[in-house]
Amino acid sequence: MAFGCDDGVVLYRTGSVRKVTEPAGATGRVSALAGTEDSPVVVGNFSSTELALIDTRSAAMRLVDLGRAFGSFTRDDSGDVVVLGVDGADEVSGRVTGSVPAIPAWTPPTDFTVARPTMTLVTAQ
């Protein structure tokens, strides 16, 4: 299990708790997290333009700057991270490999509790 907090992430596994601190000089916080059964890397939002990649094996965090604001993200069936940018384009994280128009551009609300566009990937079996 992984829990985001103001200055990093807390990992819990079989009675053990580990703290993952944010990279030196980083200013943000990890909140929404997405993991998969098959990947030791958990993804979280860190700032309006950065995702946090948290390796649960090493308790290390790496930030990925997308270069623009994003609204939400999810994981696909292969474990890739798909990001919905505020300009309405999807991106695959780690490195941007493509962009697909999805919704009209929008401005993120300053209050994180306000409803916003989000996405869920569903694959036909």
Side-chain angles (χ1 to χ4, degrees), residues 15-107:
S16 174
V17 176
R18 292 175 76 182
K19 178 70 184 272
V20 180
T21 56
E22 61 189 34
T27 56
R29 67 181 181 127
V30 177
S31 56
L33 296 169
T36 68
E37 292 280 331
D38 299 327
S39 175
V41 177
V42 175
V43 181
N45 61 341
F46 186 76
S47 71
S48 63
T49 63
E50 295 174 298
L51 290 176
L53 304 179
I54 300 102
D55 188 323
T56 60
R57 297 166 299 187
S58 63
M61 181 187 304
R62 177 172 73 97
L63 300 180
V64 176
D65 190 344
L66 298 176
R68 63 184 184 179
F70 67 94
S72 67
F73 62 92
T74 191
R75 306 279 298 257
D76 67 14
D77 289 341
S78 64
D80 290 335
V81 179
V82 180
V83 179
L84 180 64
V86 297
D87 61 358
D90 287 343
E91 296 177 0
V92 178
S93 96
R95 62 186 165 82
V96 177
T97 61
S99 181
V100 177
I103 64 172
W106 60 281
T107 302

